[in-house]
Structure formats: structure tokens, C-alpha cells
Amino acid sequence: MYQTPFDINFVRSQFPGLDTPWALFDNAGGSQIAEQAISRTTDYLRQTNVQHGASYELSRLAALRVEAGIEVVRQFLNVDESCEIVAGSSASQLLTNLSLAMRQWIRPGDEIIVTNLDHEANITPWLRLADYGAEIKFWKVNRDTLHLETDDLRQLLSPRTRLVCVTQTSNITGAIVSVRPIADLVHAAGAYLCVDGVAYAPHRLPDMAAQDADIYVYSQYKVYGPHVGMLYVRRALMEQLGNINHYFHAESLPYKLQPGGVVYELIAGICGVGDYFELLSDELGNDADLPRRKKYRKAFDAIHAHEGRLNSIMISYLQSRDDVEIIGPALSDPDVRVCTVSMSFRGMRAADVTQRLEESHIAVRNGNFYAARLVESLGIDDPGGLVRVSLAHYNSADELDKLISVLDTCR
Ligand SMILES: Cc1ncc(COP(=O)(O)O)c(C=O)c1O
């Protein structure tokens, strides 16, 4: 049994949005923002809301605050150079822009592999490259296990494969996909790997050095920060891509992939997410001198353990019901899954379950969560799709008990 490694009341007190009668279990849709990130955002607006690029001191200070936000992302992802990080409004927008920059890079006959496990954000942009000569292949989940089998990928790879796009965690099944073995296969075939980390990054610390993906995207607004998305593109690849910005930005990284200004105050606000991880790490033990990335690691190790506990409560309850199907691994191991759990009820429609929970101020959600191809492949005939309970590390076992007591009336 996993033990909660931190004082949950301390963690919760860092998120002002949790001060509500609602138990919030729609975190895979968007997390609560840390107090520190709110402060950093408003500090920017109150103190340094001027244009960048001028020589006056305030302009330089404003630019430094935005750079500091990017530096937090660099540390969070374990990336070598800040020029490999592109900021945008969302993961969907960033991948769409990236695909525009690939229109000339893709050669007629090049093959792109996408999955039917992914959120549509990591599918549609690549399908559109078919108009520029790409051939698209689908890597489909094993219908019984809902896993992507590496043997199936092996069959799909060919000397013409240029790009493989896969999620690191399904926003439906919550299952964690091991990126490194996929990266090794893809690179051995001479292709590039694009990973959607949106459903992973709120729960486990990404590591570009270890994972070896060439492209990685996540949504900061699901990782305790403001509403922006972040994209990593390996420098050697970014240099090959087209410029979607003004002509004089053709050689400037990452600006060739980042047309227009970013929302400065929100990028500056990301510093507060870093502050929060550091505070959590300090709270866990007195090694205040640890380097920043190590503090993030320590915070995420604790998140991993707490989520393991939440998983075991949730999964063992659902397994006790023979009228509920868990769509994803029926396992609580936090190395196997994050605490995003989707389910279908034999005796009740998904929308009715959601409504029943809402009546008790429990926020969950039903639908296909834009992983429409996966949900279609499951053959679910309820137009309301699946019920998804998505937890974050600030959810408590008490909240989960409340959820379970109302779920128990859903029969
Ligand atoms: C796995 C996954 N990928 C991509 C996205 C799209 O993210 P964004 O809202 O930042 O475009 C989502 C959003 O829910 C998601 O869950």
C-alpha cells in the first residue's frame, strides 16, 4: 500500500481554487493553478507590463521575467537549450503550427505513423500533411488490452517513415506508454518521434534526455499553471523545418515556429509553477540546496506515491463492481497508470452518472475527451461516451471516499 508522503492540507492550501464546495475530479481537462503562479502572473501585470525589446530598464526586466518562465520549462523537461522551447496558447495550436512548418520538410511518399489512442491534437495536424505528399499509417491499439504493441509498430516502420506520433499517456485509459523503447525503434528506422505529454506531465516528471523524443508537447494549464501550451523541438530538427513567422525570422530559434508574441504575463506566471514544486520539495525534507531539477524530481516522486494511493482506492472500488468496466488498466501501480480513470456503467448512461455526481458537488465529466477514434473503436453505443474521473495530487482520500459513496448509488 502506498503512503501519502506529504501533508495533503499543506498541498491543498497552495491552490486557491480548491477552496470551493466542489470536489474537483476533472483535472485532466485542466488543473487548478498554484498560488505562486497566480502571483507571478499578476506581479508581471502590475510591475512590468511593458513591451520587450526596448533598451529601458523596465523593458529588459519584463523580458527577463518571460525568459525565467521558459527556464522553468527547460528544467521541467530537462532540455539542453531554451531555444528548443516554443510557447503557444495550447498543445493543439502548437502541433498545428508545427505541422505547417513541416509542409516543405515532408517529401512525397514519406510516411507518418499516428495512433488511434491519441487525443485528436496529435492526429489531425499530421493527417493534413497528406495534402503535401505524406502517406499516413495508423498504429492501432490492441483491442483487448488497449495497449499499443511495439511489435505492431515494427511492422509499420519502413525506410520511408519520417515521423511517428504517439501519446505518452492516454487521456482516457490513463495508461503510461514507455517512450524510450519507441524512440529507439523510431530512430533506428531513421525517423523522428513526436510525443504528446499532455496527460502525463501533470503526474510524472518528463525527461527529454532519458526519453529521447524529438518533439514533445504539454499543456501548462493542466500542470498547475496558466493557460498556455509548451512545445519542445530538438534543435537539429527545428533547424530543418520551415519558417512560419516573418521572413527575417527564418534562422531564429524558436521564433521561426512561434509567430506573433506570446502572452507575456502567462509565460512569466510559469515561474510560479517552479516555485510551487520547489516549495513542495522543501516541505518534504531539509535539502534546500538541491539544484532546481532535483527539487522538481523530489516533488514528483512524492506526487507519484500519493497518486499510487489514490489509484489503489479508486481501482479497488471499481473492481468490486461487476457492473462497471474500467476502460484502461485495472491496476493501481503508478508506474503503469496515472490517476485518470475512465469507466462505463452497465446499468446507467454516462451523462446520468455525471449528473448524479454533480448533484453532490462532485465535478467529473463524460464524453470522448477528443480521443474520438479510441472511443469509437470501443464500440460504446451510449452517446454520452465514458465517465472520466481524473484526479490530481491535491485530491485527498477523503474526497475520493465522497466520490465513491455517490458512485455507489449509480446502479
Ligand atoms: C492527451 C491530450 N493531448 C492533447 C490535448 C490538447 O491540449 P490543449 O487543450 O492544450 O490543446 C489534450 C486536452 O485535453 C489531451 O488530453
Side-chain angles (χ1 to χ4, degrees):
M1 188 62 169
Y2 298 92
Q3 298 300 316
T4 294
F6 41 59
D7 173 358
I8 189 69
N9 293 325
F10 168 79
V11 166
R12 290 178 68 80
S13 69
Q14 307 306 312
F15 293 89
L18 295 177
D19 189 11
T20 161
W22 286 85
L24 300 177
F25 293 125
D26 183 25
N27 298 288
S31 73
Q32 289 305 303
I33 182 169
E35 173 73 58
Q36 296 79 353
I38 299 172
S39 302
R40 293 279 201 154
T41 305
T42 55
D43 284 354
Y44 181 94
L45 289 169
R46 287 175 195 280
Q47 299 158 2
T48 53
N49 193 28
V50 296
Q51 260 312 304
H52 296 189
S55 51
Y56 54 90
E57 195 188 345
L58 207 52
S59 173
R60 282 189 278 125
L61 182 55
L64 285 176
R65 287 184 167 184
V66 171
E67 279 168 35
I70 298 293
E71 175 59 15
V72 168
V73 175
R74 191 184 76 75
Q75 300 264 352
F76 178 65
L77 295 179
N78 201 16
V79 161
D80 286 339
E81 299 185 72
S82 53
C83 72
E84 296 176 300
I85 293 161
V86 189
S89 64
S90 66
S92 306
Q93 183 226 28
L94 285 162
L95 292 180
T96 301
N97 280 353
L98 183 64
S99 72
L100 298 179
M102 287 186 172
R103 286 178 172 183
Q104 274 75 47
W105 176 79
I106 222 72
R107 298 161 307 210
D110 278 353
E111 293 170 357
I112 299 179
I113 299 176
V114 296
T115 83
N116 68 341
L117 180 67
D118 272 82
H119 184 285
E120 200 58 27
N122 198 25
I123 303 176
T124 292
W126 316 123
L127 298 192
R128 294 219 174 101
L129 288 175
D131 296 342
Y132 297 82
E135 289 182 17
I136 312 292
K137 290 179 172 176
F138 267 91
W139 179 13
K140 294 199 173 149
V141 287
N142 175 320
R143 188 57 196 78
D144 299 325
T145 60
L146 298 184
H147 285 154
L148 291 166
E149 310 290 355
T150 17
D151 273 348
D152 293 338
L153 174 62
R154 262 191 213 98
Q155 306 290 322
L156 293 169
L157 286 166
S158 87
R160 300 172 78 179
T161 310
R162 198 82 190 283
L163 184 66
V164 176
C165 307
V166 66
T167 189
Q168 187 169 21
T169 293
S170 157
N171 65 333
I172 299 278
T173 68
I176 298 171
V177 175
S178 278
V179 169
R180 185 57 194 243
I182 297 174
D184 290 346
L185 268 180
V186 168
H187 292 152
Y192 293 92
L193 179 64
C194 170
V195 174
D196 176 348
V198 174
Y200 178 88
H203 308 282
R204 308 284 177 265
L205 188 64
D207 187 341
M208 292 311 108
Q211 292 166 199
D212 209 23
D214 306 288
I215 301 165
Y216 191 83
V217 75
Y218 77 95
S219 313
Q220 194 67 61
Y221 73 92
K222 299 184 199 256
V223 192
Y224 323 120
H227 204 120
V228 289
M230 289 291 158
L231 173 73
Y232 156 76
V233 182
R234 191 192 292 281
R235 185 190 185 121
L237 173 60
M238 205 191 288
E239 283 169 351
Q240 298 170 38
L241 300 180
N243 171 28
I244 57 168
N245 204 340
H246 305 312
Y247 74 91
F248 43 79
H249 284 127
E251 305 302 326
S252 42
L253 311 184
Y255 304 103
K256 65 192 274 193
L257 296 183
Q258 195 178 277
V262 294
V263 186
Y264 295 144
E265 63 271 27
L266 300 186
I267 307 295
I270 297 172
C271 287
V273 181
D275 296 341
Y276 168 66
F277 293 143
E278 292 197 45
L279 180 73
L280 182 54
S281 163
D282 292 347
E283 184 68 15
L284 289 162
N286 52 0
D287 32 16
D289 309 334
L290 279 183
R292 217 192 282 185
R293 168 89 189 166
K294 290 218 163 111
K295 286 196 177 185
Y296 295 0
R297 164 61 58 212
K298 202 167 138 199
F300 271 85
D301 284 349
I303 289 173
H304 173 273
H306 178 63
E307 290 191 358
R309 174 150 185 252
L310 296 179
N311 277 349
S312 54
I313 298 171
M314 187 68 198
I315 299 292
S316 53
Y317 167 70
L318 292 175
Q319 278 191 300
S320 73
R321 300 251 326 235
D322 57 11
D323 58 341
V324 180
E325 187 187 355
I326 301 172
I327 310 297
L331 296 167
S332 55
D333 184 345
D335 292 328
V336 172
R337 66 145 53 252
V338 301
C339 45
T340 299
V341 186
S342 299
M343 62 203 80
S344 69
F345 291 71
R346 201 180 310 133
M348 253 176 108
R349 291 164 89 87
D352 296 335
V353 174
T354 303
Q355 197 189 336
R356 174 81 55 88
L357 292 163
E358 281 171 7
E359 283 159 10
S360 300
H361 281 94
I362 296 171
V364 301
R365 201 180 178 119
N366 64 284
N368 66 21
F369 308 98
Y370 286 14
R373 294 168 203 266
L374 176 70
V375 175
E376 271 162 31
S377 80
L378 298 173
I380 290 172
D381 55 10
D382 180 350
L386 304 168
V387 176
R388 185 178 74 180
V389 175
S390 59
L391 307 162
H393 71 285
Y394 47 61
N395 285 124
S396 66
D398 289 347
E399 285 181 301
L400 209 43
D401 287 347
K402 177 179 170 189
L403 169 81
I404 287 171
S405 70
V406 184
L407 276 181
D408 220 34
T409 69
C410 296
R411 294 177 189 264

